[in-house]
Amino acid sequence: MKVLLINGPNLKYLGKREPEIYGDSTFKEIEADLKDYTKSLGHQIESIVSNSEGEIVTAICEKEYDALVINPGAYTHYSIAIMDAMKYARGLGKFVAEVHLTNVFEREDFRHEMLTTKEADIVLMGGGVFSYFNAISTAAAFLDKNLF
Ligand code: DQA
């Protein structure tokens, strides 16, 4: 089974970007740990990081995978296009997990509106990088048990 990991805008700058909010680990370090973890659970993983809404939509709709783990970054708050792509993926029977490093509801009001979460099977937020590990372990459990 294959996990598609997508990280949206500004996430490739993790480690340098607002470390007091997002932590000191670089994107490359986090990505390497998530790849190792997924493989240790017996699954394959492909990782895509993109600042571009269109590229993210195309990846969600056209890549081959069984479970999507996505941090849409700021697009979560207003991208109907990514929300629709996630709906499409679920319609094809894929498991969709949305991840956020921070609890956006503790943050500025403009982050409280979330569109993409409406098309996620599960949403994990506020746990820093552990939000990703938890999403991957839940996705793996669903894949292993054929629960979706
Ligand atoms: C984020 C939360 C978003 O509001 C923000 O725009 C991000 C990161 C998170 O992981 O906490 O880029 O998705």
Side-chain angles (χ1 to χ4, degrees):
M1 296 290 194
K2 183 172 157 191
V3 174
L4 180 66
L5 172 67
I6 297 185
N7 277 282
N10 298 309
L11 291 163
K12 69 171 154 186
Y13 315 119
L14 288 174
K16 288 181 269 184
R17 174 192 180 198
E18 299 178 272
E20 66 288 359
I21 294 178
Y22 295 113
D24 295 324
S25 303
T26 66
F27 178 76
K28 284 281 162 219
E29 289 166 344
I30 296 168
E31 185 185 46
D33 286 348
L34 295 174
K35 283 183 175 175
D36 287 348
Y37 180 62
T38 309
K39 287 176 195 158
S40 78
L41 298 176
H43 295 287
Q44 300 166 36
I45 181 166
E46 177 175 357
S47 171
I48 292 170
V49 59
S50 175
N51 288 331
S52 153
E53 185 180 31
E55 270 177 29
I56 293 169
V57 168
T58 301
I60 294 171
C61 295
E62 297 186 14
K63 288 280 180 185
E64 298 281 327
Y65 60 94
D66 303 291
L68 174 67
V69 174
I70 180 168
N71 183 345
Y75 286 138
T76 193
H77 307 299
Y78 64 95
S79 176
I80 296 171
I82 293 176
M83 180 183 72
D84 283 348
M86 289 163 64
K87 185 171 190 173
Y88 174 75
R90 289 175 84 198
L92 295 177
K94 298 169 199 293
F95 182 77
V96 175
E98 179 164 329
V99 171
H100 295 280
L101 291 152
T102 61
N103 176 358
V104 298
F105 294 106
E106 284 185 324
R107 300 181 62 192
E108 305 94 323
D109 287 351
F110 64 83
R111 294 185 202 276
H112 298 178
E113 177 69 24
M114 300 182 89
L115 282 184
T116 54
T117 48
K118 299 184 200 317
E119 292 301 338
D121 290 298
I122 61 166
V123 181
L124 289 147
M125 69 168 79
V129 292
F130 295 104
S131 300
Y132 289 95
F133 286 103
N134 285 324
I136 289 171
S137 79
T138 306
F142 270 73
L143 296 179
D144 291 340
K145 297 194 177 359
N146 224 352
L147 289 176
F148 64 104

